[in-house]
Amino acid sequence: MTDNVSLISGVALRYASALLDLAEEQGATAEVEKGLDQFEALLNESADLDRLIKSPVFSADAQTKAISAILEKAGISGLTANFVKLVAQNRRLFAVPGMIQAFRAQLAAKRGEVTALVTSATELTAEHVAALQEALNASTGKNVKIVVKVDSSILGGLIVKIGSRMIDTSLRTKLNSLKFAMKEVG
């Protein structure tokens, strides 16, 4: 299992690096980023498309034809469409989600951005997100892109993850700490 994960990661990283270099050469970085976002959305919405890219049963030719039709129907063209078709021809469609993730990570690094995963008990307002982004920008010294996730099980507060750092101010964690402290006393 570990070998398969590292294979996907290595393949994804190489393809993503090549795509980013080509996109920068052609001045199409924003267009490619948008196209990859669209393709990822299609993958998340369609179990059939997910099965198509992950199944070794389909031939490279069948995958390429299907992907070409899907890209055309979705309006994804240019460098992004050519990239996904090339990946299909090379029988590497199974690694596309990793390629998209690696592309985003490399692009963010070039832009000096970091991503913060923020988990809250309820949906955050735009004002809260803006204030949080301002505070994180100041504390990290970098441009922080915030991805918000709602998880009602944390009861209240926030959990903020930036890289390997995590700040957990959730009510659930505080209650658990109090529970363990009370067990030690009694």
Side-chain angles (χ1 to χ4, degrees):
M1 183 79 174
T2 305
D3 292 337
N4 191 26
V5 170
S6 64
L7 170 69
I8 292 173
S9 298
V11 166
L13 192 58
R14 287 191 299 276
Y15 274 82
S17 295
L19 178 60
L20 183 57
D21 290 345
L22 199 54
E24 286 177 335
E25 278 179 24
Q26 295 181 8
T29 310
E31 177 191 327
V32 169
E33 185 177 21
K34 182 182 172 209
L36 289 177
D37 288 345
Q38 284 178 282
F39 189 72
E40 184 179 50
L42 291 174
L43 276 175
N44 292 335
E45 291 170 9
S46 172
D48 291 336
L49 180 57
D50 189 52
R51 203 171 15 263
L52 172 72
I53 71 162
K54 290 181 179 172
S55 177
V57 174
F58 300 105
S59 68
D61 190 45
Q63 283 181 324
T64 304
K65 285 180 183 174
I67 288 293
S68 295
I70 290 166
L71 292 170
E72 187 176 327
K73 182 114 175 143
I76 301 171
S77 60
L79 187 56
T80 308
N82 291 340
F83 172 75
V84 176
K85 290 175 193 175
L86 175 72
V87 170
Q89 289 170 355
N90 291 343
R91 306 272 305 151
R92 298 285 186 263
L93 273 178
F94 64 92
V96 164
M99 291 174 193
I100 294 171
Q101 188 178 13
F103 179 86
R104 282 191 189 125
Q106 290 178 6
L107 188 59
K110 285 193 179 226
R111 291 176 177 163
E113 294 176 344
V114 243
T115 300
L117 177 60
V118 177
T119 306
S120 68
T122 59
E123 194 70 38
L124 296 176
T125 65
E127 295 164 349
H128 287 131
V129 172
L132 184 59
Q133 184 165 16
E134 189 177 311
L136 291 174
N137 287 346
S139 71
T140 61
K142 296 183 178 184
N143 185 19
V144 178
K145 179 182 174 188
I146 295 179
V147 176
V148 180
K149 181 176 119 184
V150 176
D151 180 2
S152 60
S153 72
I154 69 168
L155 303 176
L158 297 173
I159 300 173
V160 180
K161 294 178 187 176
I162 301 176
S164 62
R165 296 186 329 193
M166 182 171 89
I167 302 162
D168 188 345
T169 62
S170 68
L171 188 55
R172 178 182 62 194
T173 301
K174 289 180 180 181
L175 289 172
N176 284 338
S177 296
L178 184 61
K179 182 172 112 181
F180 290 128
M182 291 176 75
K183 280 185 180 179
E184 288 177 7
V185 172

